[in-house]
Amino acid sequence: QVRLVESGGGVVQPGRSLRLSCAASGFSFSNYDMHWVRQAPGKGLEWVAIISYDGSNKYYADFVKGRFTISRDNSKNTLFLQMNSLRAEDTAVFYCTKGYGSYYFDDWGQGTLVTVSS
Amino acid sequence: EIVLTQSPGTLSLSPGERATLSCRASQSVTNSYLAWYQQKPGQTPRLLIYDASSRATDIPDRFSGSGSGTDFTLTISRMEPEDFAVYYCQQFGSSKWTFGQGTKVEIK
């Protein structure tokens, strides 16, 4: 079955960087668009970024403003999110999600918590 | 960017009652690319409805979606104990994906 396992979260000071990873298994990773979605503690869902199945197209939420970069390594079935210039408001659980068609999300990892605090 | 506004914020119902959740978009949603997700405490979201009215795999037929343009509705015909959760709508347009703020359906 589909398995998505995020890692790389932790506590980081404002202005610093963090790189998240998502290891995928149980499906043909290279055939699917992949997304990052985040959820601040006790809050709603917020889409962050998408990368197309072959890595050729990437789109970001407006609030990213050039700070985050999504990438993937299809040879290793792994999705990444490089986050720079982190702010307190970036504190959230970050989920990697598999695209359902071009417009939705189906399978989700359990998430990795990023806490931005001095 | 299209903003989705869900109402009500909280819905208090008893098992067996009908639930009607609303999602209103700030602009027309392209081709009704709108979905509904259910999230229970400590769990990840589950896709219920896509393309405004198509049920996802293994979703019971008590869940139905309707609407077009800027107004969409998720209906749960008879609430089961396992249906008490937070529900989010989500849309795609102009290479952006956005979620509503969620409606919590709680036991009355």
Side-chain angles (χ1 to χ4, degrees):
Chain A
Q1 74 278 20
V2 173
R3 190 160 190 243
L4 299 167
V5 180
E6 302 92 339
S7 60
V11 180
V12 62
Q13 293 179 328
R16 304 298 291 262
S17 300
L18 212 55
R19 190 192 197 205
L20 306 183
S21 300
C22 172
S25 59
F27 66 104
S28 297
F29 180 73
S30 61
N31 288 348
Y32 288 88
D33 297 346
M34 295 294 295
H35 301 256
W36 288 98
V37 174
R38 71 183 186 181
Q39 188 168 33
K43 302 298 183 183
L45 301 167
E46 189 171 40
W47 173 76
V48 175
I50 181 182
I51 184 167
S52 60
Y53 66 98
D54 61 355
S56 62
N57 292 297
K58 306 174 185 181
Y59 298 100
Y60 299 91
D62 290 346
F63 65 80
V64 168
K65 293 180 180 176
R67 300 183 298 129
F68 296 178
T69 301
I70 190 171
S71 60
R72 65 192 297 161
D73 184 341
N74 284 346
S75 68
K76 296 182 179 178
N77 291 348
T78 305
L79 175 72
F80 302 100
L81 185 68
Q82 176 67 43
M83 302 187 294
N84 300 330
S85 303
L86 283 162
R87 306 165 179 166
E89 54 265 36
D90 295 318
T91 294
V93 174
F94 282 73
Y95 297 101
C96 72
T97 80
K98 173 174 154 286
Y100 182 80
S102 299
Y103 313 119
Y104 310 113
F105 320 101
D106 54 5
D107 298 283
W108 299 63
Q110 286 304 304
T112 187
L113 176 62
V114 173
T115 302
V116 184
S117 173
S118 55
Chain B
E1 175 179 302
I2 294 179
V3 176
L4 298 178
T5 301
Q6 293 185 238
S7 61
T10 302
L11 189 56
S12 298
L13 296 169
S14 300
E17 287 193 299
R18 181 184 188 90
T20 303
L21 285 67
S22 174
C23 177
R24 179 160 291 177
S26 59
Q27 306 169 42
S28 184
V29 175
T30 304
N31 293 331
S32 296
Y33 291 143
L34 186 116
W36 290 91
Y37 298 83
Q38 176 194 69
Q39 187 178 31
K40 298 178 183 179
Q43 295 186 19
T44 59
R46 179 173 70 146
L47 177 66
L48 301 174
I49 300 288
Y50 64 95
D51 291 348
S53 60
S54 298
R55 265 188 302 276
T57 304
D58 295 331
I59 300 304
D61 60 8
R62 64 180 181 273
F63 291 92
S64 64
S66 62
S68 63
T70 60
D71 289 296
F72 298 87
T73 301
L74 174 69
T75 302
I76 309 171
S77 59
R78 287 177 56 87
M79 288 293 293
E80 298 287 341
E82 63 268 27
D83 299 337
F84 292 92
V86 178
Y87 292 83
Y88 296 95
C89 57
Q90 170 256 314
Q91 70 84 39
F92 165 81
S94 301
S95 301
K96 303 287 186 187
W97 288 255
T98 56
F99 289 92
Q101 83 280 16
T103 289
K104 180 180 181 180
V105 182
E106 64 177 21
I107 299 176
K108 188 173 182 180

